[in-house]
Structure formats: C-alpha cells, structure tokens
C-alpha cells in the first residue's frame, strides 16, 4: 500500500533519505520511498500498514503529517515509467540547451524528428535565426507553446 | 534538481558518486530528476513496476 507523507516543500529528497535510513536502522516494514518533482511537498511511502509509517515519521520535524487514506501501486505507474522527452516536446516549445557549444542558451523548437530523436532549434538571442539541430538529450523544456 | 555530486546511471538509473555505474558499468549523468529509494526489492511492488531488483537509490529520470 502507498501512503502520502506531507513534508516541508523543497525538502522531499532529504526527508526521503532520512526516512529510508531510519527504516533500515529500526527494521520497519517499509519497502520503498518515492520523491518526485511533480509532487511538491509530499513523498510517497510503500509499506504494509499505516502503523509502520506512523513509527517511521515520528519526531521527524520536517514531516508535517500523513495524508489520510491510501493509494495503490497502479496509480503511481505513470510516475515510475516517465514518458520519453521526445514524446512531450512539440514545435514552438521553448527549450534551454544543457550541453554542447550553446549550453545555457534558450531556443525555440522549429522541427522535431521523433525517429532520430533530434530537434531543430532557433536560438532566441541570436540576431539572425540560424537553425541548429541537436540531440534530444541536449535540451530541457522550459515552456510549452501556448495552444 | 538533485544535489551536487550525485550522478545516476544512464541505463539503470542507480544513483552513485562515480563516473561509471557500480552495477552495470554504464556511464553516469548529473542531469537527474526524482528519487526512488528501494529498501526491500523482494516485497516492494513499486520495485517490480520500476524493474529494480537491487536495493538502493535510483533516479526517476536521467538525461
């Protein structure tokens, strides 16, 4: 069963690590802990019962409480198997280059090649728009194109 | 973003400080997102879905 634990925002990964080491130290029946960036202020803990979670978070000052109710593993499937970035990127999106000679520059996507996993960009700050083609691993999406 | 110095294997997502993954020897990357801690890979259903059978820390996505 999956339980959601409310934490201080921004401290999700630290709390997850602290709880993991406590679970190991005290041999609690906790199977896994998930801290995803999509879910700010919460971490997801897999355990046999709520008692194990209550014991786990006891006296941890960064934990704000346990969300009542439980969730099933099926509901987390989309978090555990993230879609490839190429599937979520579209023409018109604004991206930041994270590698290569233009690292740190912002650019607008002009073409997406799904088979080669390459995208063609135009740098936003360049005086003349020169198309450059880079691999999908060299960019991160900053803003989606408004429909 | 993950904390500085942490890297994850580009193949199996295992989090390490090294340049090569201690499990599968693939290259690691600093561009990682999310954290999944598997404490009990045998009983964990999350571990089965994520296809992790070794106890440890994993990133949710690595670029």
């Amino acid at each position: 069963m999956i339980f959601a634990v409310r934490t201080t925002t921004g401290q999700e990964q630290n709390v997850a690590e602290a709880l993991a080491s406590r679970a190991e130290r005290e041999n609690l029946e906790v199977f896994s802990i998930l801290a995803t960036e999509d879910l700010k202020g919460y971490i997801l803990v897999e355990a046999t019962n709520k008692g194990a979670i209550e014991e786990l978070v006891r006296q941890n000052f960064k934990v704000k409480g346990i969300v009542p109710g439980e969730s099933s593993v099926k509901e987390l499937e989309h978090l555990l198997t993230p879609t490839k970035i190429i599937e979520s990127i579209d023409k018109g999106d604004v991206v930041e280059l994270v590698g290569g000679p233009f690292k740190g520059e912002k650019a607008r996507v002009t073409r997406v090649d799904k088979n080669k996993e390459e995208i063609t960009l135009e740098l936003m700050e360049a005086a003349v728009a020169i198309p450059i083609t880079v691999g999908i691993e060299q960019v991160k999406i900053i803003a989606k194109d408004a429909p | 973003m993950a904390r500085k110095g942490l890297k994850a294997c580009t193949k199996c997502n295992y989090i390490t400080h090294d340049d090569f993954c201690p499990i599968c020897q693939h290259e690691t990357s600093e561009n990682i997102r999310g954290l999944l801690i598997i404490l009990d890979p045998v009983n964990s259903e999350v571990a089965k879905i994520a296809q992790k059978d070794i106890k440890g820390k994993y990133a949710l996505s690595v670029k």
Side-chain angles (χ1 to χ4, degrees):
Chain A
M1 280 180 284
I2 307 285
F3 297 90
V5 173
R6 206 155 68 84
T7 70
T8 310
T9 312
Q11 295 291 321
E12 297 89 354
Q13 296 199 2
N14 293 335
V15 174
E17 286 188 12
L19 295 184
S21 52
R22 181 169 188 180
E24 271 194 285
R25 203 169 52 236
E26 298 184 9
N27 257 332
L28 297 171
E29 284 192 319
V30 175
F31 303 144
S32 67
I33 302 175
L34 180 69
T36 155
E37 288 179 4
D38 302 336
L39 203 57
K40 285 200 166 45
Y42 294 91
I43 58 171
L44 300 162
V45 184
E46 182 187 13
T48 42
N49 53 60
K50 199 171 179 179
I53 310 267
E54 278 167 357
E55 181 62 27
L56 181 70
V57 302
R58 197 163 49 89
Q59 290 181 351
N60 188 321
F61 67 95
K62 282 180 181 165
V63 171
K64 305 290 176 203
I66 304 168
V67 179
E70 58 199 50
S71 168
S72 72
V73 180
K74 278 206 172 79
E75 289 176 66
L76 302 184
E77 237 164 293
H78 69 282
L79 292 174
L80 297 168
T81 48
T83 50
K84 279 186 145 183
I85 186 170
I86 193 85
E87 303 294 336
S88 58
I89 204 161
D90 289 304
K91 191 177 163 182
D93 291 353
V94 177
V95 296
E96 184 183 324
L97 286 133
V98 292
F102 299 109
K103 188 175 176 180
E105 296 274 346
K106 286 181 187 157
R108 190 174 291 278
V109 179
T110 54
R111 201 170 64 87
V112 179
D113 186 335
K114 289 208 160 120
N115 295 323
K116 282 190 184 167
E117 297 203 353
E118 280 179 349
I119 54 170
T120 305
L121 311 166
E122 274 175 8
L123 295 178
M124 292 175 98
E125 279 163 33
V128 184
I130 305 166
I132 53 167
T133 303
V134 295
I136 194 73
E137 70 287 346
Q138 287 195 21
V139 299
K140 68 173 181 193
I141 302 172
I142 295 181
K144 297 292 289 176
D145 188 22
Chain B
M1 282 301 269
R3 275 160 294 163
K4 265 195 166 175
L6 280 186
K7 295 175 176 184
C9 173
T10 49
K11 190 179 176 219
C12 69
N13 292 10
Y14 187 81
I15 292 180
T16 172
H17 287 281
D18 305 326
D19 290 338
F20 289 94
C21 174
I23 297 172
C24 62
Q25 313 302 325
H26 264 76
E27 271 188 65
T28 57
S29 161
E30 277 189 3
N31 196 356
I32 62 176
R33 283 171 165 271
L35 173 68
L36 171 64
I37 305 172
I38 304 286
L39 295 165
D40 186 344
V42 180
N43 293 316
S44 170
E45 286 183 50
V46 172
K48 286 187 186 88
I49 291 176
Q51 297 174 353
K52 311 288 182 212
D53 43 16
I54 298 170
K55 185 177 165 180
K57 291 178 196 167
Y58 297 87
L60 285 179
S61 80
V62 182
K63 273 198 281 181

